[in-house]
Structure formats: structure tokens, C-alpha cells
Amino acid sequence: QKEVEQNSGPLSVPEGAIASLNCTYSDRGSQSFFWYRQYSGKSPELIMFIYSNGDKEDGRFTAQLNKASQYVSLLIRDSQPSDSATYLCAVKQAGTALIFGKGTTLSVSS
Amino acid sequence: EADIYQTPRYLVIGTGKKITLECSQTMGHDKMYWYQQDPGMELHLIHYSYGVNSTEKGDLSSESTVSRIRTEHFPLTLESARPSHTSQYLCASSGQGDGYTFGSGTRLTVV
């Protein structure tokens, strides 16, 4: 069964610190990788996607992909209290729908 | 403004009733999806569609049906609601890229 694994947390970091969120996936055929942010009671919103090995930066967010290790991560620099949410890792093979992990809850304290 | 809409936002219904959850998008996306999410849990794929008259089953599809007669519309029907169906139902769509845009969700309670 295709799986996406995340540490459920909570991950607690002080304001201004770097938050590191990790995700592993079981299917080596996975081609696209996504990070969604979900505030309590709200729908997920896309914050990053990555297709190739290496790093991809967008503002305070950096996604990292290592296909050989089947590992994808999200770094949030200069964490803010407004970053407190659940972060969902999602993985996709060609021609299929996204498979989501359970999410990691991030708490940023001021 | 292009968006994806779900109605109703909240629904409380009795056991055994037939219900249809509506989802419409104005972005012209070919691909649409239904996910179920319990509080604090992962999203589970119920059904998806890659275009008009195309529907596929996900992991939790056995107790629901969908139709895709128009590109913009992807309703989900539960023929006979049960308390185990109490959950949040999220509709999403995607275009050329793979990233999904989610609707606001329907929170269903079956009593």
C-alpha cells in the first residue's frame, strides 16, 4: 500500500527559529511532492511543490527532495506565530490522485 | 474570481437519508476530487474525475457515488447516510499543474 509518513508532532519552535518538517514515502514511482498548510477548521492550502531532487526556495519556505532516500522536507525560516498550523505532505504518481500524510502540527511561540 | 465552491457548509441529517454534497469550480479545471477528513486525521480519497463522464473510485468509495456531467460540477451522493459518515468532506480541483485547490468543505453530521 502506498504510504506517506509524517511525525504528527506537535513540533514546537520559538518565534524566529527554523522549523523543519519531514516526510517519507513508500512508492519509488512517486513523481510530484507537495506541502499543504491547514489551519484548524479550514481547508488545506498549497504552499510548496517540488518535482526534482534538491532544494526549492519560495520566500521563507524551502522544500527539499531526496528521491533516493524517499524523503521530502519543508523548512520554514524566521517562523512566525501565524505559521502555527498542521502541515500536510502529499505525494503523487503520474495519472493518480494525491496521497496525503497525517500531517505535522507546528506551534510557534512568541 | 476563479474559485471552488462547496455547499452546504454544514449539514445535520438523520440516518437513512439520501444526501448530495455539491462542488463547483470556475477555474476550468479538468480534474476534480473528493476527500474525507476526520479531525486530526489524514485526507482519504473517495472519488476523482479527470474530465466529463470520467470518474474513478478511491479508497473510501464503496458507500458513495459521483457524477461528472459538466466540467465545473462534481457532486457526491450518499444513498443512505449513517453515523459513520459523520466527517468533513473536501472537494478539490487541479489544472495543468498537479497542485490542488480545495473548497471550504462540508461538515456532515449524521444523527
Side-chain angles (χ1 to χ4, degrees):
Chain A
Q1 179 166 348
K2 303 169 187 175
E3 292 184 347
V4 178
E5 299 288 343
Q6 295 181 255
N7 187 327
S8 62
L11 173 66
S12 297
V13 301
E15 184 175 358
I18 296 175
S20 178
L21 304 160
N22 304 314
C23 172
T24 59
Y25 58 95
S26 62
D27 194 330
R28 286 194 172 274
S30 300
Q31 297 183 344
S32 309
F33 307 87
F34 302 84
W35 284 99
Y36 285 81
R37 177 176 62 200
Q38 186 174 28
Y39 292 112
S40 180
K42 301 295 185 181
S43 299
E45 55 179 328
L46 179 65
I47 53 174
M48 288 286 291
F49 61 89
I50 186 167
Y51 300 147
S52 304
N53 278 330
D55 295 358
K56 179 181 179 181
E57 185 175 319
D58 184 0
R60 295 187 296 113
F61 299 97
T62 299
Q64 300 175 318
L65 174 62
N66 183 327
K67 289 187 177 181
S69 300
Q70 296 174 243
Y71 177 91
V72 57
S73 66
L74 179 69
L75 301 178
I76 306 175
R77 291 182 299 280
D78 188 24
S79 295
Q80 302 297 311
S82 59
D83 294 326
S84 298
T86 297
Y87 289 81
L88 305 174
C89 174
V91 172
K92 186 177 183 299
Q93 279 190 304
T96 67
L98 286 181
I99 298 172
F100 287 82
K102 291 184 178 182
T104 298
T105 300
L106 173 65
S107 177
V108 181
S109 56
S110 56
Chain B
E1 180 181 347
D3 210 337
I4 181 165
Y5 305 94
Q6 289 188 245
T7 57
R9 185 73 178 89
Y10 300 93
L11 179 62
V12 180
I13 199 164
T15 298
K17 298 293 186 181
K18 178 179 179 179
I19 57 173
T20 296
L21 308 183
E22 300 289 346
C23 178
S24 295
Q25 50 95 6
T26 59
M27 295 172 282
H29 287 169
D30 287 329
K31 303 171 188 173
M32 297 188 73
Y33 314 85
W34 276 102
Y35 284 87
Q36 181 179 339
Q37 185 182 32
D38 293 325
M41 302 298 288
E42 68 263 53
L43 283 76
H44 289 287
L45 181 66
I46 310 173
H47 293 277
Y48 60 102
S49 168
Y50 284 171
V52 171
N53 295 324
S54 161
T55 61
E56 300 289 341
K57 296 181 178 181
D59 299 332
L60 296 181
S61 62
S62 61
E63 300 175 0
S64 61
T65 59
V66 291
S67 63
R68 189 85 184 278
I69 299 173
R70 304 195 316 267
T71 298
E72 63 271 23
H73 193 214
F74 191 42
L76 175 73
T77 298
L78 294 175
E79 292 293 334
S80 179
R82 297 205 301 268
S84 60
H85 292 140
T86 295
S87 188
Q88 173 157 262
Y89 292 82
L90 292 165
C91 181
S93 69
S94 64
Q96 294 288 350
D98 291 329
Y100 292 5
T101 301
F102 282 88
S104 299
T106 294
R107 191 167 297 277
L108 173 66
T109 302
V110 183
V111 298

